[in-house]
Amino acid sequence: MRVLPFCLVLVACETTPPDTGDTGHTGDTNDTAETGDTADTADTADTGDTGDTADTGDTGGPADLGFDLDGGWAGSTLTLTWLDASTLGTDSVVFGDVMFSADAGADPLLVSAGTPPASELLEADPEQAPGMMVAIYVPALHVDADGDGLLSGEETYVGAGATWPIYVTGVIPAQYTAMGVVDGWNAMYVFSGDEGPEFSDPMTIPLAANVAVNEELTLGGSFADDPDGMGLVVIPGTAFEGGGVDSWLYDGPLAAAWSIPLSGEPPAEHFSAMEGVGWAAMELPVAYIDEGSGSFGEGDIPTNAACFGGVPVGAIWFPGPTDLMVALQFGMTGMGSGWVAMTTGDVGGGTVLTEAEAASLSIDATCTLGGP
């Protein structure tokens, strides 16, 4: 299981990996954080204008970058988005234009990105490396529905990598050459810890379709007591906030061994703003005493939540990310988008559950709706 951080703050390569702490919305369904949409989770990042400046396809030269693709990358498009190296480690990481894009038609994906524009080469470390010019690019994958090579309209990212192509030229100090830095294209792992940056072969950059929408999720587990006269319903978080709900995603009899299949995006009234992660739909499985109607409604009595390790669990639908910072956050946590099973009541932050963990939940007297 993985802990979802409150937010992803890109840091300079000398610093530690991102903290895996608090989501900012861990089980308090009355929280009405006004984050708006998923783009708001990156409100400190200027994503620039990706416009129509990208080179689409091969520049005609020999391959100078290679990407080892993984997951459901077929049919996607690779983009390399410029990142202002001088803003790494600050509170306002700045993204710029897409410098290069190409169809992801094979694995490994070999491309000729060429030489970056002079305007994107910066002296990122003037004190330790005066005269060394660098240009950093964030690799990502998206399904390019309109064929323009860029993320636009309703298109979403399906992958974002933590190893970034970095072009280096000028005066390269010995301490950098000792780490493997060469004149031209390099690859740098972003979150390498206290030991400093990790440089690797730019022809074998790992890039997975790690934020593609997960359309299906099954929650399941056991009920410790007699299920006779009991029901099981999935209640959206908006209902706890006073919002109206036209229908439940699941409502049926509770059994000793129960299972809740979830498929596709929830209705619009199930969505609300969640601090730290943006616009999402949280769904909470709840056992209830059925007063005879055969479905959850007025007069029925909610009793217990479904728990993992004594902590209530919810199913959350995150829309596919349209913001590069959000895509990086999702990719670094291993969370992805679409349906995700997550604990909602622990103090340290929401914990993403594996498929096996999501199928081994328990409903009993120790698992209350308000937490353990």
Side-chain angles (χ1 to χ4, degrees), residues 48-116:
D49 177 14
T50 57
D52 56 0
T53 62
D55 284 331
T56 55
D58 198 306
T59 61
D64 46 29
L65 291 173
F67 297 87
D68 291 336
L69 305 180
D70 191 23
W73 54 268
S76 66
T77 292
L78 166 74
T79 55
L80 301 180
T81 301
W82 183 71
L83 184 148
D84 185 342
S86 67
T87 65
L88 284 172
T90 72
D91 292 334
S92 300
V93 176
V94 175
F95 296 101
D97 294 334
V98 172
M99 186 273 287
F100 178 86
S101 70
D103 290 341
D107 176 37
L109 175 62
L110 305 180
V111 300
S112 177
T115 303

Side-chain angles (χ1 to χ4, degrees), residues 274-368:
M274 294 174 60
E275 184 180 354
V277 294
W279 203 248
M282 175 180 282
E283 307 285 340
L284 301 171
V286 176
Y288 65 93
I289 299 173
D290 185 0
E291 294 297 333
S293 66
S295 62
F296 184 65
E298 186 175 355
D300 293 334
I301 304 172
T303 57
N304 301 102
C307 282
F308 180 79
V311 181
V313 169
I316 306 180
W317 174 279
F318 295 103
T322 59
D323 182 274
L324 185 53
M325 181 72 83
V326 175
L328 285 166
Q329 176 182 348
F330 282 8
M332 288 300 296
T333 60
M335 185 176 69
S337 60
W339 283 117
V340 177
M342 183 182 298
T343 58
T344 64
D346 46 344
V347 176
T351 301
V352 179
L353 303 184
T354 66
E355 183 178 337
E357 290 168 341
S360 59
L361 309 180
S362 61
I363 298 175
D364 57 43
T366 67
C367 187
T368 63

Side-chain angles (χ1 to χ4, degrees), residues 218-324:
T218 298
L219 300 179
S222 60
F223 180 60
D225 299 320
D226 183 0
D228 186 45
M230 299 288 294
L232 181 61
V233 63
V234 173
I235 301 178
T238 52
F240 291 90
E241 298 167 0
V245 180
D246 292 333
S247 61
W248 316 111
L249 297 187
Y250 180 89
D251 184 14
L254 180 60
W258 54 271
S259 179
I260 300 174
L262 299 172
S263 178
E265 183 174 347
E269 69 267 16
H270 288 225
F271 283 81
S272 62
M274 294 174 60
E275 184 180 354
V277 294
W279 203 248
M282 175 180 282
E283 307 285 340
L284 301 171
V286 176
Y288 65 93
I289 299 173
D290 185 0
E291 294 297 333
S293 66
S295 62
F296 184 65
E298 186 175 355
D300 293 334
I301 304 172
T303 57
N304 301 102
C307 282
F308 180 79
V311 181
V313 169
I316 306 180
W317 174 279
F318 295 103
T322 59
D323 182 274
L324 185 53

